[in-house]
Amino acid sequence: MALRPLHDRVIVKRLDNERKTASGIVIPESAAEKPDQGEVIAVGPGKRGDDGNPQALDVKVGDKVLFGKYAGQSVKVDGEEVLVIREEEILAVIS
């Protein structure tokens, strides 16, 4: 992927939601909600501090993260939809 985030931005690929409920009902794609979990595929160098040096981000490539439903900006790169969000919009890292 030829996308490099700047400052404190993170590129996240959404994880697929289950399309079937626990009781076995299949949910059509048009009715399914967008997932609020994803995997970090790229991180920026960090926001610059008062001294001019970038502050390292708390997330790294490969982390599974939880973010808000309406967080970030969806973009399509190489036919794949990814999310560009600021690090502060990430709610938690899933371990």
Side-chain angles (χ1 to χ4, degrees):
M1 182 175 290
L3 194 62
R4 183 177 54 94
L6 300 175
H7 306 292
D8 63 336
R9 289 181 176 80
V10 179
I11 308 294
V12 176
K13 180 179 176 183
R14 290 184 190 265
L15 296 177
D16 290 331
N17 270 354
E18 285 291 320
R19 296 237 161 86
K20 190 185 278 189
T21 64
S23 61
I25 299 173
V26 177
I27 301 170
E29 190 171 320
S30 60
E33 292 184 14
K34 287 188 175 182
D36 55 0
Q37 295 180 18
E39 182 177 355
V40 176
I41 56 174
V43 295
K47 191 180 269 189
R48 296 203 180 270
D50 294 335
D51 59 357
N53 295 325
Q55 299 172 355
L57 281 79
D58 289 332
V59 295
K60 60 187 180 306
V61 174
D63 282 350
K64 291 195 182 349
V65 294
L66 182 67
F67 49 87
K69 184 177 276 192
Y70 302 106
Q73 176 69 40
S74 247
V75 294
K76 235 179 195 178
V77 179
D78 299 333
E80 187 175 351
E81 190 172 322
V82 294
L83 194 64
V84 180
I85 62 176
R86 290 185 176 274
E87 183 190 29
E88 64 193 26
E89 293 180 290
I90 295 174
L91 304 174
V93 176
I94 302 169
S95 36

